[in-house]
Amino acid sequence: MKITVIGCGYLGATHAACMAELGHDVLGVEIDPRKRALLAQGQVPFHEPGLGELLAKHVASGRLRFTDSFAEAGAFGALHFICVGTPQRPESLGADVSYVDAAVTSLAPHLRPGTLVIGKSTVPVGTAERLDAVVSAAGAELAWNPEFLREGFAVADTLQPDRLVLGVRSARAEQALRDFYEPCIEAGSPVVVTDFATAELVKVSANAFLATKISFINAVSEVCEAAGADVVDLARALGHDERIGPRFLGAGIGFGGGCLPKDIRAFVHRAGELGVEDAMSFLRQVDDVNQRQRQRVLQAATTMLGGSVTRAKIAVWGAAFKPDSDDVRDSPALSIAGKLHLRGARVSVYDPAAAETARAAYPTLDYAPSAIAAAVDADLVLHLTEWPEFRSVDLATLGAVVRRKQVLDGRNKLDLEVWRDAGWTTRALGRRTPALSPARLALVGPAA
Ligand code: UGA
């Protein structure tokens, strides 16, 4: 099919390249000239594994092109996907839908009758209802088809989504989307057909649920710490209950990124506008618990450094909000690094992919070219984004460059037993104290 993708940021660029891979002819509309020029050369303006190859392949094959012209888009596409961002508004917790509105109103005069406009952006419930009037007046039809891709796995999530939610108003729109996604449906992606409002709400509910799961385990981790229990063992045991499941029970410095934090806030805000704020007020606590994790790390670091971080040298491993991404929006790692710097610590940050985006966001921090370089003369190593390379750092080399062998694992992903055996003082959120570790007890015997 001939489709357009309006907005070629994270979501749009991935959708455009993946839909070309599924065999469709794709025209991407991107108004930022720098991004458009890069994309047109087959280059991805951000870090996403596998996307560069796909984009280059289909730019070369001619199945994927880019433009800034809505007139060209209207003439080209039978299906138009709206993929622009909906950031948090500066003055409130609500989502800024002005980019969505602008995309639809810019496209509307050029829409051919009978074509379909499909919203993929994450929006407050009721947005589709409002935009329907604009699209219908142009003789086209609206559908809402939220996106559930994760950064770092965006290509796989888009080529084989774990569900397709189709918010539609006619059998014709449903059929057009089923035809469009046929390869995914054939390969097993389940389809849920529903109304606009439910489709919009599925997306924010999914993110709110994930955020709640993370904050739940983080809240429990604080109790674990107070009680001498171990949150990693606890999460493993919880995860064996099929009703709970093991994923998103990773305790640590909490969630960040361009989606979970702003989506829970926008959900509370929208519920308030609908007169049901109390129903969603627990999400404020989810947000609070999440922010609290950052404080817990700052407190633990301060304690490890003898009561003050001033003038201490701290190596921060990780800047991205999660591994396999260069996204530093609302990144817990960078926020902690920034606070330590403000309190007078000498902070050296290393991230395998996010140095450039981090420097743009926090220009006053020092950035090192490797994990070891960041740790030279360090009094403390902070592990804040769980890139795999941090788990395989050579501890002998590291031990030789630091000033004090102290590590704080903010993601509960390092094998701290090994670090301790190499002479390091370790700390983690919600882990039992080393003296009580069963492995250690087995090693030294019950008498110890
Ligand atoms: C999230 C959702 O997972 C996607 O389904 C959704 O499509 C996307 O938002 C979106 O709205 O566009 P993403 O922001 O890429 O995807 O990242 P996640 O994998 O959800 O991780 C979010 C944050 O939670 C990260 O900071 C991560 O480190 C943290 N996290 C995740 C934990 O702290 N613990 C965990 O156990 C899991």
Side-chain angles (χ1 to χ4, degrees):
M1 289 183 184
K2 287 184 146 191
I3 69 154
T4 74
V5 175
I6 318 288
C8 295
Y10 217 99
L11 165 59
T14 308
H15 190 63
C18 290
M19 294 307 111
E21 176 71 5
L22 291 185
H24 301 295
D25 271 332
V26 184
L27 179 64
V29 180
E30 176 53 59
I31 55 173
D32 178 331
R34 191 191 71 90
K35 265 195 218 163
R36 192 174 61 251
L38 278 173
L39 291 165
Q41 290 162 26
Q43 289 173 36
V44 186
F46 48 84
H47 179 91
E48 182 59 42
L51 185 57
E53 290 83 335
L54 221 54
L55 192 81
K57 176 178 162 190
H58 292 297
V59 166
S61 75
R63 217 186 276 162
L64 174 57
R65 292 187 299 112
F66 295 92
T67 183
D68 62 351
S69 162
F70 283 91
E72 193 183 344
F76 181 86
L79 269 55
H80 303 278
F81 290 89
I82 307 295
C83 294
V84 293
T86 51
Q88 188 175 327
R89 281 190 229 147
E91 79 290 357
S92 83
L93 297 181
D96 177 359
V97 291
S98 62
Y99 301 106
V100 176
D101 288 356
V104 172
T105 48
S106 304
L107 184 63
H110 309 290
L111 283 169
R112 286 177 292 131
T115 54
L116 202 57
V117 175
I118 303 128
K120 288 196 85 65
S121 307
T122 303
V123 291
V125 60
T127 305
E129 183 68 50
R130 189 167 53 73
L131 293 174
D132 189 46
V134 182
V135 173
S136 301
E141 186 173 349
L142 186 69
W144 215 264
N145 165 222
E147 179 57 56
F148 301 98
L149 66 81
R150 296 160 298 167
E151 295 189 16
F153 302 90
V155 170
D157 285 352
T158 307
L159 290 175
Q160 189 62 77
D162 54 13
R163 74 285 215 189
L164 284 161
V165 175
L166 311 180
V168 289
R169 286 231 158 127
S170 74
R172 191 182 143 274
E174 178 189 337
Q175 195 54 52
L177 284 168
R178 282 185 182 274
D179 292 345
F180 176 71
Y181 285 122
E182 193 187 39
C184 310
I185 299 170
E186 284 282 294
S189 293
V191 179
V192 177
V193 180
T194 186
D195 52 74
F196 289 169
T198 309
E200 293 168 314
L201 272 175
V202 170
K203 173 58 194 271
V204 282
S205 302
N207 277 0
F209 191 85
L210 293 171
T212 304
K213 210 172 171 191
I214 298 168
S215 277
F216 174 84
I217 199 69
N218 280 332
V220 172
S221 87
E222 202 168 339
V223 181
C224 284
E225 212 164 282
D230 190 286
V231 74
V232 173
D233 289 353
L234 182 140
R236 202 180 309 133
L238 280 185
H240 284 300
D241 185 329
E242 279 181 11
R243 295 167 302 174
I244 299 174
R247 298 170 73 186
F248 275 68
L249 286 179
I253 59 173
F255 58 82
C259 304
L260 262 47
K262 68 111 175 145
D263 286 352
I264 57 169
R265 292 170 199 152
F267 202 178
V268 177
H269 184 85
R270 185 65 185 136
E273 288 175 344
L274 293 169
V276 288
E277 182 170 355
D278 285 354
M280 284 293 127
S281 62
F282 73 94
L283 286 179
R284 288 189 197 282
Q285 256 181 300
V286 167
D287 203 0
D288 290 347
V289 168
N290 195 49
Q291 295 302 324
R292 201 173 154 73
Q293 300 313 301
R294 304 177 186 190
Q295 288 307 321
R296 285 178 68 197
V297 169
L298 290 172
Q299 271 163 17
T302 307
T303 306
M304 290 179 92
L305 292 166
S308 166
V309 302
T310 310
R311 283 189 292 282
K313 165 81 192 282
I314 299 177
V316 168
W317 284 359
F321 83 106
K322 68 174 192 179
D324 264 330
S325 169
D326 63 353
D327 195 341
V328 298
R329 285 176 294 171
D330 210 340
S331 162
L334 260 194
S335 149
I336 290 166
K339 289 201 172 80
L340 288 167
H341 172 72
L342 279 179
R343 292 179 188 185
R346 293 180 295 127
V347 178
S348 185
V349 181
Y350 166 68
D351 189 285
E356 210 179 298
T357 45
R359 193 176 276 119
Y362 281 78
T364 51
L365 296 175
D366 273 341
Y367 293 90
S370 71
I372 297 287
V376 170
D377 288 335
D379 297 294
L380 176 65
V381 173
L382 287 185
H383 175 242
L384 299 186
T385 310
E386 68 275 34
W387 287 93
E389 71 169 74
F390 298 142
R391 296 197 278 283
S392 54
V393 163
D394 180 47
L395 291 186
T397 314
L398 184 67
V401 301
V402 296
R403 215 162 71 83
R404 291 161 76 187
K405 285 183 169 184
Q406 299 202 94
V407 63
L408 196 165
D409 184 4
R411 291 292 186 176
N412 285 328
K413 285 289 185 329
L414 299 177
D415 188 346
L416 293 180
E417 205 70 44
V418 173
W419 286 68
R420 284 194 287 274
D421 288 345
W424 288 70
T425 301
T426 67
R427 192 63 219 273
L429 300 180
R431 305 302 309 270
R432 84 165 61 71
T433 51
L436 295 175
S437 150
R440 260 188 127 63
L441 276 177
L443 211 68
V444 292

